[in-house]
Amino acid sequence: GETRCERFQLWLEKDKEMAIYPCRNEAGQHVRVQGPDGDHSGRHWLLDGRDEQIPAGTVYRIVFEWSTRAKKVSWAPVKESLAELPRLIGGRGVEHRYSVVGSWASWAP
């Protein structure tokens, strides 16, 4: 985003009572993942590009993995050649909304 900082949680089927969130607020990638449930108040991941001097507007790929052993959230700047991506997401202000799709919802948002 414009501030080089984004906070987020994951919600299954757009339901805030089915949130997936970190065990503490403003968490990085290497913390325990909790949920899905409604006990997420005040706990978000913080994707912060300020320390590494990541340019404003950098696009990240966020990956959520849920195995039999654990849940994991990770992210990294997109490095592939996605020439049209900035045009598609640019100019929409600071409010961001995302959908997560997966097999648990028949790949529908």
Side-chain angles (χ1 to χ4, degrees):
E2 293 84 2
T3 64
R4 299 186 296 160
C5 261
E6 295 289 343
R7 295 174 52 211
F8 68 95
Q9 297 173 330
L10 305 175
W11 293 2
L12 298 177
E13 300 191 22
K14 302 179 187 177
D15 183 352
K16 68 180 178 180
E17 298 302 316
M18 295 288 287
I20 297 171
Y21 53 93
C23 64
R24 61 180 174 83
N25 193 32
E26 297 190 351
Q29 300 180 62
H30 306 291
V31 299
R32 189 175 68 251
V33 177
Q34 296 181 299
D37 59 44
D39 191 29
H40 56 85
S41 182
R43 289 181 275 176
H44 300 82
W45 281 282
L46 179 64
L47 198 159
D48 189 347
R50 295 174 295 184
D51 288 341
E52 291 100 26
Q53 299 297 309
I54 302 293
T58 296
V59 175
Y60 281 78
R61 173 172 287 124
I62 299 171
V63 176
F64 172 58
E65 299 174 70
W66 190 342
S67 71
T68 55
R69 294 182 336 154
K71 295 181 280 281
K72 177 182 175 186
V73 172
S74 60
W75 55 81
V78 171
K79 302 220 186 257
E80 295 89 342
S81 176
L82 299 174
E84 294 209 16
L85 192 55
R87 181 184 63 78
L88 295 173
I89 64 172
R92 294 193 182 166
V94 296
E95 182 176 343
H96 304 288
R97 294 185 183 265
Y98 307 95
S99 293
V100 176
V101 298
S103 58
W104 63 85
S106 299
W107 298 101

